[in-house]
Amino acid sequence: MRLRVAVCDSQPDTLSSMERFLVDTKLVSCVTCYNNVRELRDELNEGKEIDLLILDIDHVFDEHIAEEDKGKNGIDVACELGQKYPFLQIIYMAEQNVEYAQTIFLRPVQPAGFLIKPVKMDYVYQLLLLAIERQKNPGTPDSKKKKKKTEKTE
């Protein structure tokens, strides 16, 4: 099994290094990179399917951001996407910042991992293996919780 991965970060260097690494792992069937959340959200709304999202939660929103996104950070976007797409695994990525450690777990969507920049690719590899394992074994406690949430909304 190979993952369909999206990476969303406003830093071009991070996007290109992540893309190169992910393709080289052979654990990924496709990688799509986004430099803004709006484009990622639009493609998901149009039906694009991904298994894993690596999202910069320090994401810099550009000046053309939609009015409803003003004041949001990457954690807010991750929560929105996680609730709308309950089987989407999300790995948070950020600069070192203790503030996030205190707020992430207060939100309804739990991350599938956390990467600190500069990203250590061996850790990314381990998180990819865990994501594949979660895909193969949907009976894990996290998957059951997500399935119940999906059934309630249908």
Side-chain angles (χ1 to χ4, degrees):
M1 167 177 259
R2 293 172 26 160
L3 297 167
R4 297 166 294 183
V5 179
V7 182
C8 187
D9 193 305
S10 57
Q11 299 175 353
D13 292 345
T14 300
L15 286 174
S16 63
S17 65
M18 288 293 288
E19 182 177 29
R20 274 192 311 277
F21 176 79
L22 291 168
V23 168
D24 289 345
T25 67
K26 308 294 187 224
L27 298 174
V28 175
S29 61
C30 71
V31 179
T32 309
C33 293
Y34 300 92
N35 64 6
N36 68 71
V37 172
R38 184 180 50 227
E39 185 181 346
L40 165 67
R41 186 187 294 135
D42 288 349
E43 286 199 12
L44 287 171
N45 287 337
E46 291 170 5
K48 181 166 185 74
E49 294 182 5
I50 59 172
D51 303 307
L52 179 68
L53 169 61
I54 301 173
L55 176 67
D56 178 12
I57 57 175
D58 287 331
H59 198 84
V60 177
F61 293 101
D62 64 28
E63 67 276 1
H64 305 295
I65 192 162
E67 189 63 38
E68 66 269 13
D69 288 335
K70 291 197 180 197
K72 286 185 180 179
N73 63 29
I75 297 171
D76 297 323
V77 172
C79 288
E80 172 194 317
L81 294 175
Q83 289 175 339
K84 189 167 184 178
Y85 308 100
F87 293 103
L88 174 62
Q89 297 182 64
I90 302 173
I91 296 174
Y92 293 172
M93 181 169 53
E95 303 288 336
Q96 290 185 340
N97 191 331
V98 177
E99 179 185 335
Y100 288 118
Q102 296 174 343
T103 61
I104 288 171
F105 297 99
L106 298 174
R107 306 306 293 269
V109 175
Q110 299 301 310
F114 191 95
L115 299 169
I116 297 173
K117 293 179 183 179
V119 174
K120 294 181 180 176
M121 294 305 176
D122 60 329
Y123 190 57
V124 175
Y125 188 81
Q126 292 174 36
L127 289 173
L128 290 173
L129 292 174
L130 288 172
I132 289 170
E133 196 59 36
R134 285 187 205 101
Q135 292 283 83
K136 285 184 192 175
N137 299 311
T140 61
D142 285 343
S143 297
K144 287 179 184 174
K145 202 183 314 175
K146 288 179 182 176
K147 186 174 182 179
K148 285 180 185 174
K149 194 181 287 184
T150 304
E151 289 171 354
K152 287 180 185 176
T153 59
E154 291 178 350

